[in-house]
Amino acid sequence: MPVVRASEAVTHEIHGARFVSYATPLTGARELCAWRGEIPAGTRAPAHTVTHEEIFHLLDGELLMTLDECTERVTAGDTVIINPGATLTVENPTDRTAVSWVTTSIGLRAHLADGTVLTPPWAN
């Protein structure tokens, strides 16, 4: 039985946010990836278009999430479903770190407006 201990999780940092990776093919996952996201106060991630569905659940804090030009204030306990091909921007306008749990299928890529394609290791 694969068990990923908190001490074994791998942390990645990009665009001012932290992604603490738990479930990936390297840890025994076959279909899904899951990670904890930490979005510090004042952080605004660049807009990116995702290739796979993501389920984004906010555990703590508050965020402004823009999905295909529609902005919503998301608070602890809320879940956002991000469909493949959607363009997402995440902003933390508050004075404290927001914490999320995100799940997607293995193989997710994110396309940024400048043409950069990210293959995040926490989702592959």
Side-chain angles (χ1 to χ4, degrees), residues 12-19 38-40 43:
H12 307 273
E13 295 190 26
I14 187 169
H15 302 295
R18 295 180 71 200
F19 302 85
E38 300 171 0
I39 303 100
T43 299

PDB file of all heavy atoms in Angstrom, residues 12-19 38-40 43:
ATOM      1  N   HIS A  12       7.720  22.137  -4.609  1.00  0.00           N
ATOM      2  CA  HIS A  12       8.146  22.878  -5.800  1.00  0.00           C
ATOM      3  C   HIS A  12       7.667  24.313  -5.634  1.00  0.00           C
ATOM      4  O   HIS A  12       6.586  24.549  -5.089  1.00  0.00           O
ATOM      5  CB  HIS A  12       7.508  22.287  -7.061  1.00  0.00           C
ATOM      6  CG  HIS A  12       7.731  20.820  -7.222  1.00  0.00           C
ATOM      7  ND1 HIS A  12       8.840  20.297  -7.843  1.00  0.00           N
ATOM      8  CD2 HIS A  12       6.990  19.755  -6.835  1.00  0.00           C
ATOM      9  CE1 HIS A  12       8.765  18.984  -7.837  1.00  0.00           C
ATOM     10  NE2 HIS A  12       7.650  18.623  -7.226  1.00  0.00           N
ATOM     11  N   GLU A  13       8.445  25.263  -6.124  1.00  0.00           N
ATOM     12  CA  GLU A  13       8.032  26.666  -6.066  1.00  0.00           C
ATOM     13  C   GLU A  13       8.105  27.263  -7.461  1.00  0.00           C
ATOM     14  O   GLU A  13       9.081  27.068  -8.179  1.00  0.00           O
ATOM     15  CB  GLU A  13       8.921  27.440  -5.096  1.00  0.00           C
ATOM     16  CG  GLU A  13       8.755  26.949  -3.673  1.00  0.00           C
ATOM     17  CD  GLU A  13       9.421  27.834  -2.642  1.00  0.00           C
ATOM     18  OE1 GLU A  13       9.589  29.046  -2.909  1.00  0.00           O
ATOM     19  OE2 GLU A  13       9.757  27.306  -1.576  1.00  0.00           O
ATOM     20  N   ILE A  14       7.028  27.966  -7.823  1.00  0.00           N
ATOM     21  CA  ILE A  14       6.975  28.642  -9.118  1.00  0.00           C
ATOM     22  C   ILE A  14       5.955  29.777  -9.028  1.00  0.00           C
ATOM     23  O   ILE A  14       4.926  29.641  -8.374  1.00  0.00           O
ATOM     24  CB  ILE A  14       6.633  27.658 -10.268  1.00  0.00           C
ATOM     25  CG1 ILE A  14       6.763  28.352 -11.618  1.00  0.00           C
ATOM     26  CG2 ILE A  14       5.272  27.041 -10.070  1.00  0.00           C
ATOM     27  CD1 ILE A  14       6.704  27.415 -12.804  1.00  0.00           C
ATOM     28  N   HIS A  15       6.263  30.880  -9.668  1.00  0.00           N
ATOM     29  CA  HIS A  15       5.380  32.045  -9.721  1.00  0.00           C
ATOM     30  C   HIS A  15       4.931  32.503  -8.333  1.00  0.00           C
ATOM     31  O   HIS A  15       3.793  32.938  -8.148  1.00  0.00           O
ATOM     32  CB  HIS A  15       4.159  31.786 -10.615  1.00  0.00           C
ATOM     33  CG  HIS A  15       4.522  31.413 -12.018  1.00  0.00           C
ATOM     34  ND1 HIS A  15       5.161  32.269 -12.877  1.00  0.00           N
ATOM     35  CD2 HIS A  15       4.341  30.261 -12.705  1.00  0.00           C
ATOM     36  CE1 HIS A  15       5.364  31.662 -14.039  1.00  0.00           C
ATOM     37  NE2 HIS A  15       4.879  30.444 -13.959  1.00  0.00           N
ATOM     38  N   GLY A  16       5.803  32.338  -7.349  1.00  0.00           N
ATOM     39  CA  GLY A  16       5.502  32.812  -6.008  1.00  0.00           C
ATOM     40  C   GLY A  16       4.675  31.870  -5.156  1.00  0.00           C
ATOM     41  O   GLY A  16       4.394  32.174  -4.003  1.00  0.00           O
ATOM     42  N   ALA A  17       4.275  30.730  -5.687  1.00  0.00           N
ATOM     43  CA  ALA A  17       3.458  29.778  -4.941  1.00  0.00           C
ATOM     44  C   ALA A  17       4.257  28.503  -4.673  1.00  0.00           C
ATOM     45  O   ALA A  17       5.248  28.214  -5.361  1.00  0.00           O
ATOM     46  CB  ALA A  17       2.187  29.443  -5.709  1.00  0.00           C
ATOM     47  N   ARG A  18       3.811  27.752  -3.673  1.00  0.00           N
ATOM     48  CA  ARG A  18       4.431  26.465  -3.338  1.00  0.00           C
ATOM     49  C   ARG A  18       3.449  25.349  -3.667  1.00  0.00           C
ATOM     50  O   ARG A  18       2.259  25.453  -3.392  1.00  0.00           O
ATOM     51  CB  ARG A  18       4.768  26.408  -1.851  1.00  0.00           C
ATOM     52  CG  ARG A  18       5.821  27.404  -1.459  1.00  0.00           C
ATOM     53  CD  ARG A  18       6.121  27.315   0.020  1.00  0.00           C
ATOM     54  NE  ARG A  18       6.849  26.054   0.212  1.00  0.00           N
ATOM     55  CZ  ARG A  18       6.946  25.437   1.374  1.00  0.00           C
ATOM     56  NH1 ARG A  18       6.366  25.916   2.432  1.00  0.00           N
ATOM     57  NH2 ARG A  18       7.630  24.326   1.468  1.00  0.00           N
ATOM     58  N   PHE A  19       3.981  24.286  -4.234  1.00  0.00           N
ATOM     59  CA  PHE A  19       3.199  23.103  -4.575  1.00  0.00           C
ATOM     60  C   PHE A  19       3.840  21.928  -3.853  1.00  0.00           C
ATOM     61  O   PHE A  19       4.969  21.555  -4.158  1.00  0.00           O
ATOM     62  CB  PHE A  19       3.201  22.875  -6.089  1.00  0.00           C
ATOM     63  CG  PHE A  19       2.648  24.049  -6.853  1.00  0.00           C
ATOM     64  CD1 PHE A  19       3.457  25.125  -7.191  1.00  0.00           C
ATOM     65  CD2 PHE A  19       1.318  24.084  -7.207  1.00  0.00           C
ATOM     66  CE1 PHE A  19       2.949  26.212  -7.875  1.00  0.00           C
ATOM     67  CE2 PHE A  19       0.795  25.173  -7.903  1.00  0.00           C
ATOM     68  CZ  PHE A  19       1.618  26.238  -8.227  1.00  0.00           C
ATOM     69  N   GLU A  38       0.110  26.325  -1.720  1.00  0.00           N
ATOM     70  CA  GLU A  38       0.232  27.410  -0.751  1.00  0.00           C
ATOM     71  C   GLU A  38       0.446  28.696  -1.533  1.00  0.00           C
ATOM     72  O   GLU A  38       1.459  28.849  -2.217  1.00  0.00           O
ATOM     73  CB  GLU A  38       1.387  27.139   0.203  1.00  0.00           C
ATOM     74  CG  GLU A  38       1.202  25.847   0.980  1.00  0.00           C
ATOM     75  CD  GLU A  38       2.433  25.445   1.775  1.00  0.00           C
ATOM     76  OE1 GLU A  38       3.455  26.161   1.738  1.00  0.00           O
ATOM     77  OE2 GLU A  38       2.370  24.387   2.443  1.00  0.00           O
ATOM     78  N   ILE A  39      -0.535  29.594  -1.466  1.00  0.00           N
ATOM     79  CA  ILE A  39      -0.508  30.835  -2.240  1.00  0.00           C
ATOM     80  C   ILE A  39      -0.331  31.994  -1.262  1.00  0.00           C
ATOM     81  O   ILE A  39      -1.273  32.366  -0.560  1.00  0.00           O
ATOM     82  CB  ILE A  39      -1.798  30.995  -3.074  1.00  0.00           C
ATOM     83  CG1 ILE A  39      -1.991  29.782  -3.988  1.00  0.00           C
ATOM     84  CG2 ILE A  39      -1.738  32.265  -3.911  1.00  0.00           C
ATOM     85  CD1 ILE A  39      -2.966  28.766  -3.485  1.00  0.00           C
ATOM     86  N   PRO A  40       0.879  32.548  -1.174  1.00  0.00           N
ATOM     87  CA  PRO A  40       1.142  33.614  -0.208  1.00  0.00           C
ATOM     88  C   PRO A  40       0.327  34.874  -0.469  1.00  0.00           C
ATOM     89  O   PRO A  40      -0.127  35.124  -1.597  1.00  0.00           O
ATOM     90  CB  PRO A  40       2.635  33.901  -0.387  1.00  0.00           C
ATOM     91  CG  PRO A  40       3.196  32.678  -1.024  1.00  0.00           C
ATOM     92  CD  PRO A  40       2.085  32.143  -1.892  1.00  0.00           C
ATOM     93  N   THR A  43       0.069  37.320  -3.833  1.00  0.00           N
ATOM     94  CA  THR A  43       0.498  36.578  -5.021  1.00  0.00           C
ATOM     95  C   THR A  43      -0.579  36.612  -6.094  1.00  0.00           C
ATOM     96  O   THR A  43      -1.756  36.454  -5.814  1.00  0.00           O
ATOM     97  CB  THR A  43       0.795  35.108  -4.657  1.00  0.00           C
ATOM     98  OG1 THR A  43       1.842  35.075  -3.702  1.00  0.00           O
ATOM     99  CG2 THR A  43       1.192  34.299  -5.881  1.00  0.00           C
TER     100      THR A  43
END
